[in-house]
Amino acid sequence: VEILEHGEHLDEYFYGGADRVDVGGNISISTTQGRVIVLTPDAGSHTATLPAPWALSTGGPHFYIINNGTPGVGSSISLTDARGSGHTGSSNVLSNTLGAGLSVTMWISEYSDGSRQWHSWGSA
């Protein structure tokens, strides 16, 4: 018998729960809402603000965000973070606009200078 790793391997993984949100304006997303966030926007374009990246551990996934809007009616969502004007860089926008029917997985990277940035992977 070969022992590959000597560390403890947990049999359980906390998936974080889920939340459905009807979006009629700009919103903020919190870890207390769960890991899977299903957003159903009205016919407008809105912004979803994620927590500041230094408020959570690096890596992830921290959120799976799904835009459950109707394609073709302008139900898009821009993803931003909570850093405000004091962050490094020219824009808080984290990804392209998340169109109706698309989804992203949100992770946090930490750079050698100690700064952190949200990153998204998915269909957006």
Side-chain angles (χ1 to χ4, degrees), residues 6 8 14-15 24 36-39 51 53 60 62 76 80-81 83-84 87 89 92 94-95 110 115 119 121:
H6 300 284
E8 180 180 1
F14 178 64
Y15 288 96
V36 177
I37 309 290
V38 179
L39 303 175
H62 289 285
S76 61
T80 66
D81 66 26
R83 290 182 289 179
H87 75 284
N92 283 0
L94 305 175
S95 69
E110 184 169 6
S115 64
H119 287 282
W121 282 272

PDB file of all heavy atoms in Angstrom, residues 6 8 14-15 24 36-39 51 53 60 62 76 80-81 83-84 87 89 92 94-95 110 115 119 121:
ATOM      1  N   HIS A   6       0.467  12.529   3.547  1.00  0.00           N
ATOM      2  CA  HIS A   6       0.358  12.244   4.963  1.00  0.00           C
ATOM      3  C   HIS A   6      -0.614  13.168   5.677  1.00  0.00           C
ATOM      4  O   HIS A   6      -0.859  13.013   6.856  1.00  0.00           O
ATOM      5  CB  HIS A   6       1.741  12.349   5.636  1.00  0.00           C
ATOM      6  CG  HIS A   6       2.722  11.382   5.064  1.00  0.00           C
ATOM      7  ND1 HIS A   6       2.702  10.053   5.364  1.00  0.00           N
ATOM      8  CD2 HIS A   6       3.734  11.554   4.175  1.00  0.00           C
ATOM      9  CE1 HIS A   6       3.665   9.435   4.713  1.00  0.00           C
ATOM     10  NE2 HIS A   6       4.300  10.325   3.970  1.00  0.00           N
ATOM     11  N   GLU A   8      -4.283  15.242   6.495  1.00  0.00           N
ATOM     12  CA  GLU A   8      -5.668  14.840   6.711  1.00  0.00           C
ATOM     13  C   GLU A   8      -6.513  15.178   5.485  1.00  0.00           C
ATOM     14  O   GLU A   8      -6.381  16.244   4.894  1.00  0.00           O
ATOM     15  CB  GLU A   8      -6.211  15.593   7.928  1.00  0.00           C
ATOM     16  CG  GLU A   8      -7.632  15.260   8.260  1.00  0.00           C
ATOM     17  CD  GLU A   8      -8.139  16.022   9.473  1.00  0.00           C
ATOM     18  OE1 GLU A   8      -7.384  16.822  10.041  1.00  0.00           O
ATOM     19  OE2 GLU A   8      -9.301  15.820   9.840  1.00  0.00           O
ATOM     20  N   PHE A  14     -17.902  22.191   2.380  1.00  0.00           N
ATOM     21  CA  PHE A  14     -18.994  23.138   2.554  1.00  0.00           C
ATOM     22  C   PHE A  14     -19.223  23.882   1.241  1.00  0.00           C
ATOM     23  O   PHE A  14     -18.374  24.645   0.792  1.00  0.00           O
ATOM     24  CB  PHE A  14     -18.678  24.128   3.674  1.00  0.00           C
ATOM     25  CG  PHE A  14     -19.746  25.156   3.855  1.00  0.00           C
ATOM     26  CD1 PHE A  14     -21.018  24.800   4.264  1.00  0.00           C
ATOM     27  CD2 PHE A  14     -19.486  26.487   3.604  1.00  0.00           C
ATOM     28  CE1 PHE A  14     -22.011  25.749   4.420  1.00  0.00           C
ATOM     29  CE2 PHE A  14     -20.468  27.445   3.756  1.00  0.00           C
ATOM     30  CZ  PHE A  14     -21.731  27.064   4.165  1.00  0.00           C
ATOM     31  N   TYR A  15     -20.357  23.646   0.623  1.00  0.00           N
ATOM     32  CA  TYR A  15     -20.657  24.271  -0.663  1.00  0.00           C
ATOM     33  C   TYR A  15     -21.206  25.678  -0.526  1.00  0.00           C
ATOM     34  O   TYR A  15     -21.259  26.413  -1.487  1.00  0.00           O
ATOM     35  CB  TYR A  15     -21.619  23.392  -1.471  1.00  0.00           C
ATOM     36  CG  TYR A  15     -20.924  22.161  -1.983  1.00  0.00           C
ATOM     37  CD1 TYR A  15     -20.993  20.960  -1.291  1.00  0.00           C
ATOM     38  CD2 TYR A  15     -20.152  22.205  -3.125  1.00  0.00           C
ATOM     39  CE1 TYR A  15     -20.336  19.839  -1.754  1.00  0.00           C
ATOM     40  CE2 TYR A  15     -19.488  21.091  -3.596  1.00  0.00           C
ATOM     41  CZ  TYR A  15     -19.584  19.909  -2.900  1.00  0.00           C
ATOM     42  OH  TYR A  15     -18.921  18.806  -3.356  1.00  0.00           O
ATOM     43  N   GLY A  24     -33.829  44.700  -9.237  1.00  0.00           N
ATOM     44  CA  GLY A  24     -34.539  45.827  -9.833  1.00  0.00           C
ATOM     45  C   GLY A  24     -33.690  47.085  -9.836  1.00  0.00           C
ATOM     46  O   GLY A  24     -34.146  48.149 -10.232  1.00  0.00           O
ATOM     47  N   VAL A  36     -23.646  30.125  -4.350  1.00  0.00           N
ATOM     48  CA  VAL A  36     -24.321  30.195  -5.645  1.00  0.00           C
ATOM     49  C   VAL A  36     -25.353  31.312  -5.565  1.00  0.00           C
ATOM     50  O   VAL A  36     -26.252  31.287  -4.728  1.00  0.00           O
ATOM     51  CB  VAL A  36     -25.006  28.861  -5.996  1.00  0.00           C
ATOM     52  CG1 VAL A  36     -25.760  28.981  -7.316  1.00  0.00           C
ATOM     53  CG2 VAL A  36     -23.990  27.734  -6.051  1.00  0.00           C
ATOM     54  N   ILE A  37     -25.201  32.308  -6.436  1.00  0.00           N
ATOM     55  CA  ILE A  37     -26.103  33.451  -6.448  1.00  0.00           C
ATOM     56  C   ILE A  37     -26.793  33.490  -7.815  1.00  0.00           C
ATOM     57  O   ILE A  37     -26.130  33.661  -8.841  1.00  0.00           O
ATOM     58  CB  ILE A  37     -25.349  34.786  -6.222  1.00  0.00           C
ATOM     59  CG1 ILE A  37     -24.447  34.714  -4.993  1.00  0.00           C
ATOM     60  CG2 ILE A  37     -26.322  35.941  -6.146  1.00  0.00           C
ATOM     61  CD1 ILE A  37     -25.165  34.656  -3.677  1.00  0.00           C
ATOM     62  N   VAL A  38     -28.102  33.313  -7.813  1.00  0.00           N
ATOM     63  CA  VAL A  38     -28.882  33.366  -9.051  1.00  0.00           C
ATOM     64  C   VAL A  38     -29.570  34.721  -9.082  1.00  0.00           C
ATOM     65  O   VAL A  38     -30.416  35.024  -8.243  1.00  0.00           O
ATOM     66  CB  VAL A  38     -29.914  32.222  -9.112  1.00  0.00           C
ATOM     67  CG1 VAL A  38     -30.724  32.321 -10.406  1.00  0.00           C
ATOM     68  CG2 VAL A  38     -29.236  30.873  -9.008  1.00  0.00           C
ATOM     69  N   LEU A  39     -29.176  35.547 -10.042  1.00  0.00           N
ATOM     70  CA  LEU A  39     -29.716  36.899 -10.176  1.00  0.00           C
ATOM     71  C   LEU A  39     -30.733  36.924 -11.311  1.00  0.00           C
ATOM     72  O   LEU A  39     -30.441  36.467 -12.417  1.00  0.00           O
ATOM     73  CB  LEU A  39     -28.591  37.886 -10.467  1.00  0.00           C
ATOM     74  CG  LEU A  39     -27.448  37.931  -9.444  1.00  0.00           C
ATOM     75  CD1 LEU A  39     -26.348  38.861  -9.929  1.00  0.00           C
ATOM     76  CD2 LEU A  39     -27.966  38.355  -8.088  1.00  0.00           C
ATOM     77  N   PRO A  51     -17.847  41.792  -2.349  1.00  0.00           N
ATOM     78  CA  PRO A  51     -17.075  42.300  -1.218  1.00  0.00           C
ATOM     79  C   PRO A  51     -15.660  42.689  -1.639  1.00  0.00           C
ATOM     80  O   PRO A  51     -15.167  42.240  -2.674  1.00  0.00           O
ATOM     81  CB  PRO A  51     -17.022  41.121  -0.251  1.00  0.00           C
ATOM     82  CG  PRO A  51     -18.049  40.153  -0.723  1.00  0.00           C
ATOM     83  CD  PRO A  51     -18.270  40.418  -2.168  1.00  0.00           C
ATOM     84  N   PRO A  53     -11.832  42.440  -2.017  1.00  0.00           N
ATOM     85  CA  PRO A  53     -11.079  41.187  -2.137  1.00  0.00           C
ATOM     86  C   PRO A  53     -10.190  40.879  -0.932  1.00  0.00           C
ATOM     87  O   PRO A  53      -9.846  39.732  -0.720  1.00  0.00           O
ATOM     88  CB  PRO A  53     -10.258  41.376  -3.415  1.00  0.00           C
ATOM     89  CG  PRO A  53     -10.240  42.822  -3.670  1.00  0.00           C
ATOM     90  CD  PRO A  53     -11.474  43.396  -3.055  1.00  0.00           C
ATOM     91  N   GLY A  60     -10.454  30.279  -4.102  1.00  0.00           N
ATOM     92  CA  GLY A  60     -11.884  30.204  -4.292  1.00  0.00           C
ATOM     93  C   GLY A  60     -12.289  28.806  -4.722  1.00  0.00           C
ATOM     94  O   GLY A  60     -11.549  27.860  -4.500  1.00  0.00           O
ATOM     95  N   HIS A  62     -15.267  31.616  -4.650  1.00  0.00           N
ATOM     96  CA  HIS A  62     -16.040  32.297  -3.631  1.00  0.00           C
ATOM     97  C   HIS A  62     -17.509  32.415  -4.031  1.00  0.00           C
ATOM     98  O   HIS A  62     -18.385  32.329  -3.182  1.00  0.00           O
ATOM     99  CB  HIS A  62     -15.470  33.684  -3.342  1.00  0.00           C
ATOM    100  CG  HIS A  62     -14.178  33.623  -2.610  1.00  0.00           C
ATOM    101  ND1 HIS A  62     -14.099  33.322  -1.270  1.00  0.00           N
ATOM    102  CD2 HIS A  62     -12.903  33.794  -3.027  1.00  0.00           C
ATOM    103  CE1 HIS A  62     -12.839  33.335  -0.890  1.00  0.00           C
ATOM    104  NE2 HIS A  62     -12.096  33.612  -1.934  1.00  0.00           N
ATOM    105  N   SER A  76     -28.743  42.863 -18.330  1.00  0.00           N
ATOM    106  CA  SER A  76     -27.331  42.588 -18.104  1.00  0.00           C
ATOM    107  C   SER A  76     -26.913  43.046 -16.712  1.00  0.00           C
ATOM    108  O   SER A  76     -27.575  43.876 -16.089  1.00  0.00           O
ATOM    109  CB  SER A  76     -26.479  43.291 -19.159  1.00  0.00           C
ATOM    110  OG  SER A  76     -26.669  44.687 -19.073  1.00  0.00           O
ATOM    111  N   THR A  80     -18.713  44.471 -10.079  1.00  0.00           N
ATOM    112  CA  THR A  80     -17.695  45.373  -9.551  1.00  0.00           C
ATOM    113  C   THR A  80     -17.317  44.897  -8.157  1.00  0.00           C
ATOM    114  O   THR A  80     -17.932  43.975  -7.613  1.00  0.00           O
ATOM    115  CB  THR A  80     -18.193  46.832  -9.473  1.00  0.00           C
ATOM    116  OG1 THR A  80     -19.241  46.904  -8.511  1.00  0.00           O
ATOM    117  CG2 THR A  80     -18.686  47.333 -10.809  1.00  0.00           C
ATOM    118  N   ASP A  81     -16.299  45.525  -7.578  1.00  0.00           N
ATOM    119  CA  ASP A  81     -15.963  45.201  -6.193  1.00  0.00           C
ATOM    120  C   ASP A  81     -16.137  46.431  -5.316  1.00  0.00           C
ATOM    121  O   ASP A  81     -16.434  47.516  -5.800  1.00  0.00           O
ATOM    122  CB  ASP A  81     -14.574  44.584  -6.070  1.00  0.00           C
ATOM    123  CG  ASP A  81     -13.460  45.528  -6.418  1.00  0.00           C
ATOM    124  OD1 ASP A  81     -13.614  46.759  -6.303  1.00  0.00           O
ATOM    125  OD2 ASP A  81     -12.381  45.042  -6.807  1.00  0.00           O
ATOM    126  N   ARG A  83     -14.024  48.195  -3.546  1.00  0.00           N
ATOM    127  CA  ARG A  83     -12.822  48.942  -3.184  1.00  0.00           C
ATOM    128  C   ARG A  83     -12.987  50.437  -3.298  1.00  0.00           C
ATOM    129  O   ARG A  83     -12.294  51.188  -2.632  1.00  0.00           O
ATOM    130  CB  ARG A  83     -11.640  48.494  -4.044  1.00  0.00           C
ATOM    131  CG  ARG A  83     -11.196  47.093  -3.694  1.00  0.00           C
ATOM    132  CD  ARG A  83     -10.023  46.694  -4.512  1.00  0.00           C
ATOM    133  NE  ARG A  83     -10.441  46.483  -5.892  1.00  0.00           N
ATOM    134  CZ  ARG A  83      -9.597  46.140  -6.854  1.00  0.00           C
ATOM    135  NH1 ARG A  83      -8.329  45.996  -6.592  1.00  0.00           N
ATOM    136  NH2 ARG A  83     -10.026  45.944  -8.072  1.00  0.00           N
ATOM    137  N   GLY A  84     -13.847  50.908  -4.163  1.00  0.00           N
ATOM    138  CA  GLY A  84     -14.017  52.350  -4.310  1.00  0.00           C
ATOM    139  C   GLY A  84     -12.854  52.988  -5.041  1.00  0.00           C
ATOM    140  O   GLY A  84     -12.076  52.339  -5.727  1.00  0.00           O
ATOM    141  N   HIS A  87      -8.434  52.206  -4.856  1.00  0.00           N
ATOM    142  CA  HIS A  87      -7.721  51.003  -5.273  1.00  0.00           C
ATOM    143  C   HIS A  87      -6.768  51.287  -6.420  1.00  0.00           C
ATOM    144  O   HIS A  87      -6.837  52.324  -7.064  1.00  0.00           O
ATOM    145  CB  HIS A  87      -8.706  49.909  -5.668  1.00  0.00           C
ATOM    146  CG  HIS A  87      -9.333  50.146  -7.003  1.00  0.00           C
ATOM    147  ND1 HIS A  87     -10.333  51.073  -7.197  1.00  0.00           N
ATOM    148  CD2 HIS A  87      -9.092  49.599  -8.203  1.00  0.00           C
ATOM    149  CE1 HIS A  87     -10.679  51.061  -8.460  1.00  0.00           C
ATOM    150  NE2 HIS A  87      -9.944  50.184  -9.093  1.00  0.00           N
ATOM    151  N   GLY A  89      -5.501  50.863 -10.074  1.00  0.00           N
ATOM    152  CA  GLY A  89      -6.136  50.571 -11.346  1.00  0.00           C
ATOM    153  C   GLY A  89      -7.166  51.624 -11.690  1.00  0.00           C
ATOM    154  O   GLY A  89      -7.544  52.440 -10.864  1.00  0.00           O
ATOM    155  N   ASN A  92     -13.162  49.561 -11.493  1.00  0.00           N
ATOM    156  CA  ASN A  92     -13.590  48.490 -10.599  1.00  0.00           C
ATOM    157  C   ASN A  92     -14.287  47.363 -11.343  1.00  0.00           C
ATOM    158  O   ASN A  92     -14.682  46.384 -10.728  1.00  0.00           O
ATOM    159  CB  ASN A  92     -14.567  49.027  -9.549  1.00  0.00           C
ATOM    160  CG  ASN A  92     -13.866  49.787  -8.452  1.00  0.00           C
ATOM    161  OD1 ASN A  92     -12.662  49.924  -8.457  1.00  0.00           O
ATOM    162  ND2 ASN A  92     -14.641  50.280  -7.514  1.00  0.00           N
ATOM    163  N   LEU A  94     -14.963  44.080 -13.067  1.00  0.00           N
ATOM    164  CA  LEU A  94     -14.211  42.840 -12.941  1.00  0.00           C
ATOM    165  C   LEU A  94     -14.267  41.972 -14.178  1.00  0.00           C
ATOM    166  O   LEU A  94     -13.411  41.140 -14.390  1.00  0.00           O
ATOM    167  CB  LEU A  94     -14.756  42.046 -11.753  1.00  0.00           C
ATOM    168  CG  LEU A  94     -14.765  42.802 -10.439  1.00  0.00           C
ATOM    169  CD1 LEU A  94     -15.433  41.970  -9.377  1.00  0.00           C
ATOM    170  CD2 LEU A  94     -13.358  43.153 -10.026  1.00  0.00           C
ATOM    171  N   SER A  95     -15.284  42.083 -14.958  1.00  0.00           N
ATOM    172  CA  SER A  95     -15.416  41.242 -16.144  1.00  0.00           C
ATOM    173  C   SER A  95     -16.263  41.987 -17.151  1.00  0.00           C
ATOM    174  O   SER A  95     -16.756  43.073 -16.885  1.00  0.00           O
ATOM    175  CB  SER A  95     -16.101  39.917 -15.782  1.00  0.00           C
ATOM    176  OG  SER A  95     -17.448  40.143 -15.456  1.00  0.00           O
ATOM    177  N   GLU A 110      -3.870  36.949  -5.257  1.00  0.00           N
ATOM    178  CA  GLU A 110      -3.025  37.870  -4.507  1.00  0.00           C
ATOM    179  C   GLU A 110      -1.690  37.980  -5.234  1.00  0.00           C
ATOM    180  O   GLU A 110      -1.097  36.979  -5.611  1.00  0.00           O
ATOM    181  CB  GLU A 110      -2.804  37.407  -3.076  1.00  0.00           C
ATOM    182  CG  GLU A 110      -2.011  38.413  -2.262  1.00  0.00           C
ATOM    183  CD  GLU A 110      -2.002  38.099  -0.776  1.00  0.00           C
ATOM    184  OE1 GLU A 110      -2.508  37.043  -0.370  1.00  0.00           O
ATOM    185  OE2 GLU A 110      -1.485  38.927  -0.020  1.00  0.00           O
ATOM    186  N   SER A 115      -1.342  43.123  -3.144  1.00  0.00           N
ATOM    187  CA  SER A 115      -2.659  43.536  -3.627  1.00  0.00           C
ATOM    188  C   SER A 115      -3.468  42.306  -4.046  1.00  0.00           C
ATOM    189  O   SER A 115      -2.917  41.258  -4.369  1.00  0.00           O
ATOM    190  CB  SER A 115      -2.523  44.508  -4.795  1.00  0.00           C
ATOM    191  OG  SER A 115      -1.911  43.864  -5.894  1.00  0.00           O
ATOM    192  N   HIS A 119     -11.151  37.715  -9.831  1.00  0.00           N
ATOM    193  CA  HIS A 119     -11.044  37.193 -11.194  1.00  0.00           C
ATOM    194  C   HIS A 119     -12.269  36.340 -11.473  1.00  0.00           C
ATOM    195  O   HIS A 119     -12.778  35.667 -10.592  1.00  0.00           O
ATOM    196  CB  HIS A 119      -9.782  36.337 -11.378  1.00  0.00           C
ATOM    197  CG  HIS A 119      -8.544  37.147 -11.422  1.00  0.00           C
ATOM    198  ND1 HIS A 119      -8.133  37.859 -12.528  1.00  0.00           N
ATOM    199  CD2 HIS A 119      -7.619  37.407 -10.469  1.00  0.00           C
ATOM    200  CE1 HIS A 119      -7.013  38.497 -12.264  1.00  0.00           C
ATOM    201  NE2 HIS A 119      -6.685  38.236 -11.024  1.00  0.00           N
ATOM    202  N   TRP A 121     -14.142  33.469 -14.099  1.00  0.00           N
ATOM    203  CA  TRP A 121     -14.049  32.493 -15.161  1.00  0.00           C
ATOM    204  C   TRP A 121     -15.454  32.032 -15.474  1.00  0.00           C
ATOM    205  O   TRP A 121     -16.263  31.860 -14.577  1.00  0.00           O
ATOM    206  CB  TRP A 121     -13.215  31.283 -14.722  1.00  0.00           C
ATOM    207  CG  TRP A 121     -11.765  31.538 -14.747  1.00  0.00           C
ATOM    208  CD1 TRP A 121     -10.933  31.363 -15.822  1.00  0.00           C
ATOM    209  CD2 TRP A 121     -10.954  32.022 -13.690  1.00  0.00           C
ATOM    210  NE1 TRP A 121      -9.652  31.711 -15.463  1.00  0.00           N
ATOM    211  CE2 TRP A 121      -9.639  32.122 -14.154  1.00  0.00           C
ATOM    212  CE3 TRP A 121     -11.212  32.397 -12.376  1.00  0.00           C
ATOM    213  CZ2 TRP A 121      -8.594  32.574 -13.371  1.00  0.00           C
ATOM    214  CZ3 TRP A 121     -10.175  32.847 -11.587  1.00  0.00           C
ATOM    215  CH2 TRP A 121      -8.888  32.920 -12.095  1.00  0.00           C
TER     216      TRP A 121
END
